[in-house]
Amino acid sequence: MLATALLGAPNGRLPVSHLVQAGRLLGIADGAVRTSLSRMVAQGELSTSDGVYELSGKLADRRHDIDGAVRPRPPGINWDGTWEIAVVRAGSRSAAQRHELRAAATRLRLGALRDGCWARPTNLDRERHPGARSVIARQCLTFQGAIADVMPADVEQTFGLSEWAGKALRLNEAIEAQPAEVLSQPTSAQMRDRFLLLIAAARHLRTDPMLPDELLTDDWPGERLRAAYDRLTQTLRRYLEDAVNSGGAASS
């Protein structure tokens, strides 16, 4: 929960007083919050200076991914109809290498055409996520600007569009079912429900295949979920700001 508060904070930074207050809203004792923060610093997930905590390591990378996933897609992205295809090179690979490749392909939003063959339309910045790109380069032979006779059924199977859209709609409905107004005295259970919804929406948006419009249905729910995520984020920020401004924040 504390990581979620930082993931949604400007620049991934918050003073300890805000984090303690966030814990109180969620029913987490002050001591447990401070212990958790210390543990996260020791594990390299946070850095701290002058009572301000900042995401670092893998959590900083996750925030970067979430920022890109929840940001509204720019309109009118042009796609020239070509594909990027990555085919695993011949030879044996360890389980760790296979896991590394799956993680890199997922981060780059490549879909599995079949075992050992990954692909996606070339509508995203090729220079994104250089670390993941280097994993693909080590383990795969890649083809850029490929002309592929890809059928709608191939796109559906490769990216699981129906399943993704169905879950996005359920998440959107759950967020919209939350009260629009900021409750004066929310219970910790109500706050936890909102945080869990925020976590689930962010996790799901990170798996959006980000395909060109030509390959999506007209009612694709990606942007609806992004808008719902933004509304819920703003609501949670108001809760935290109100709590801090009310004088209930702990001292650093």
Side-chain angles (χ1 to χ4, degrees):
M1 295 293 189
L2 296 175
T4 301
L6 282 161
L7 287 167
N11 301 317
R13 304 172 74 246
L14 281 175
V16 65
S17 59
H18 286 58
L19 290 165
V20 168
Q21 190 61 45
R24 290 179 180 178
L25 288 171
L26 295 166
I28 304 173
D30 295 5
V33 170
R34 294 178 185 275
T35 297
S36 180
L37 291 172
S38 297
R39 185 180 299 119
M40 293 172 75
V41 170
Q43 293 172 345
E45 297 173 329
L46 299 179
S47 61
T48 181
S49 176
D50 297 327
V52 175
Y53 286 83
E54 181 174 2
L55 296 170
S56 62
K58 291 183 178 179
L59 282 183
D61 290 340
R62 187 185 304 175
R63 183 179 187 276
H64 182 269
D65 288 350
I66 290 175
D67 282 350
V70 304
R71 187 181 304 123
R73 291 178 58 184
I77 296 179
N78 293 323
W79 176 50
D80 63 4
T82 64
W83 289 71
E84 170 187 353
I85 300 174
V87 181
V88 174
R89 288 189 169 89
S92 61
R93 294 179 299 141
S94 67
Q97 287 174 317
R98 291 194 295 272
H99 174 77
E100 182 184 41
L101 179 59
R102 283 194 298 273
T106 298
R107 194 173 192 198
L108 290 167
R109 291 182 166 80
L110 297 173
L113 278 172
R114 60 170 178 78
D115 187 34
C117 184
W118 302 82
R120 71 157 295 107
T122 53
N123 66 315
L124 299 179
D125 179 13
R126 172 157 170 76
E127 303 305 318
R128 68 195 188 282
H129 306 315
R133 180 64 63 188
S134 67
V135 173
I136 299 293
R138 286 197 303 272
Q139 296 195 38
C140 297
L141 179 64
T142 59
F143 301 85
Q144 297 293 328
I147 303 298
D149 185 15
V150 179
M151 305 297 291
D154 298 320
V155 178
E156 168 63 37
Q157 178 179 340
T158 300
F159 296 99
L161 299 187
S162 296
E163 182 180 355
W164 195 96
K167 185 172 182 179
L169 288 171
R170 292 192 294 274
L171 284 167
N172 190 68
E173 290 171 359
I175 293 173
E176 290 184 343
Q178 297 294 321
E181 71 279 3
V182 176
L183 303 176
S184 59
Q185 291 183 318
T187 66
S188 57
Q190 289 171 325
M191 293 301 299
R192 282 195 296 270
D193 287 346
R194 286 166 171 78
F195 264 89
L196 289 173
L197 272 176
L198 194 73
I199 292 168
R203 184 178 293 129
H204 195 54
L205 285 168
R206 286 181 68 191
T207 66
D208 183 347
M210 300 290 282
L211 299 180
D213 293 339
E214 294 92 327
L215 299 179
L216 298 174
T217 59
D218 292 338
D219 58 351
W220 181 251
E223 292 312 298
R224 282 183 58 193
L225 183 57
R226 286 183 176 85
Y229 175 93
D230 183 66
R231 289 195 301 272
L232 184 56
T233 299
Q234 297 304 322
T235 298
L236 290 172
R237 283 179 181 170
R238 288 198 299 273
Y239 275 120
L240 182 55
E241 290 169 0
D242 289 350
V244 170
N245 293 335
S246 70
S251 65
S252 60

